[in-house]
Amino acid sequence: MAYQTFRQEYLQVPPVTRAYTTACVLTTAAVQLELITPFQLYFNPELIFKHFQIWRLVTNYLFFGPVGFNFLFNMIFLYRYCRMLEEGSFRGRTADFVFMFLFGGFLMTLFGLLVNLVFLGQAFTIMLVYIWSRRNPYVRMNFFGLLIFQAPFLPWVLMGFSLLLGNSVIVDLLGIAVGHIYFFLEDVFPNQPGGGRLLRTPSILKAIFDTPEDDPNYNPLPEERPGGFAWGEGQRLGG
């Protein structure tokens, strides 16, 4: 009975979120069981480009460290905000969501060459949080019951929390930077005078991932449409 309930809940998770979080959990479990080691997973340009260990371009996004507070904290935020993006502003646009993953991962890998990071999964999570927070600017957040603030401040609050834990803020800044680049190109620039859509999902991704909407009469909210908010049309808090 419990298995059937878990299976139903698991299958209700949207596909990209389900695949990525599952891959992260299985990778961590494999390391905990000593089936593999982090040394086989981390981002190393020399091993990638000279020894053709191409899998490291992906695996460095799947390992968040040993099971503990940091791992659980990252998994909660990864699952929550990845799912809210996929079910919200990317509803019915799985191909666009996958393209965002690829675009963000590509930029993060390039920047990773400069800042010498070996695992980029946490930065990728911050990128997802940043994009969600900018697309939902009127949502009020409660951080551990201590702080109440609007959603766009969430990535910065997380960076401050990371700093308090003694972690490097480079990871958070990288995620914020990549998230802002995507947000600007996808949501801001198309709505500017003379602007346009610079990011276009390849047709092959649309052919693979996009399926017809479950509800053909579904009318997305303004923040869920391609191009994001119409920035001139504000919304009063509590109104």
Side-chain angles (χ1 to χ4, degrees), residues 2-212:
Y3 168 76
Q4 290 295 333
T5 301
F6 173 78
R7 183 173 181 274
Q8 290 176 355
E9 290 295 325
Y10 178 73
L11 293 177
Q12 287 179 0
V13 178
V16 178
T17 301
R18 183 170 67 236
Y20 185 39
T21 53
T22 299
C24 292
V25 171
L26 291 179
T27 299
T28 300
V31 172
Q32 288 292 116
L33 296 172
E34 299 184 351
L35 300 176
I36 55 177
T37 71
F39 296 105
Q40 297 172 285
L41 307 174
Y42 76 101
F43 180 68
N44 185 315
E46 182 176 354
L47 293 177
I48 292 170
F49 299 113
K50 291 186 178 181
H51 297 274
F52 306 106
Q53 297 183 10
I54 305 299
W55 66 83
R56 293 178 183 271
L57 290 170
V58 176
T59 56
N60 80 91
Y61 288 96
L62 304 180
F63 184 64
F64 289 79
V67 175
F69 175 78
N70 190 60
F71 170 77
L72 294 175
F73 186 80
N74 276 286
M75 284 297 99
I76 290 171
F77 273 82
L78 170 62
Y79 171 78
R80 176 177 173 80
Y81 291 97
C82 189
R83 180 169 185 171
M84 286 199 297
L85 274 176
E86 190 169 2
E87 292 182 337
S89 60
F90 287 96
R91 178 187 172 95
R93 301 193 296 130
T94 302
D96 293 338
F97 196 49
V98 171
F99 182 64
M100 185 205 71
F101 264 60
L102 296 175
F103 178 79
F106 174 74
L107 282 187
M108 210 162 285
T109 298
L110 289 182
F111 291 147
L113 294 172
L114 303 176
V115 296
N116 196 31
L117 292 174
V118 294
F119 289 104
L120 297 171
Q122 184 175 337
F124 195 83
T125 299
I126 295 296
M127 180 196 79
L128 296 174
V129 171
Y130 183 89
I131 295 171
W132 177 86
S133 70
R134 293 303 300 269
R135 288 186 167 181
N136 297 271
Y138 305 113
V139 175
R140 299 189 70 185
M141 311 296 296
N142 187 327
F143 192 72
F144 291 132
L146 301 175
L147 294 173
I148 297 176
F149 50 88
Q150 302 304 120
F153 292 102
L154 179 59
W156 305 101
V157 171
L158 292 178
M159 186 176 72
F161 183 68
S162 182
L163 188 62
L164 287 176
L165 293 178
N167 299 326
S168 171
V169 297
I170 297 298
V171 174
D172 300 80
L173 288 174
L174 176 59
I176 289 171
V178 173
H180 183 73
I181 290 172
Y182 178 85
F183 170 75
F184 177 81
L185 293 177
E186 182 70 8
D187 291 57
V188 178
F189 186 67
N191 294 318
Q192 301 300 309
R197 298 292 298 278
L198 298 179
L199 299 180
R200 297 187 180 277
T201 303
S203 57
I204 187 172
L205 291 181
K206 289 184 175 293
I208 294 173
F209 293 104
D210 277 356
T211 57

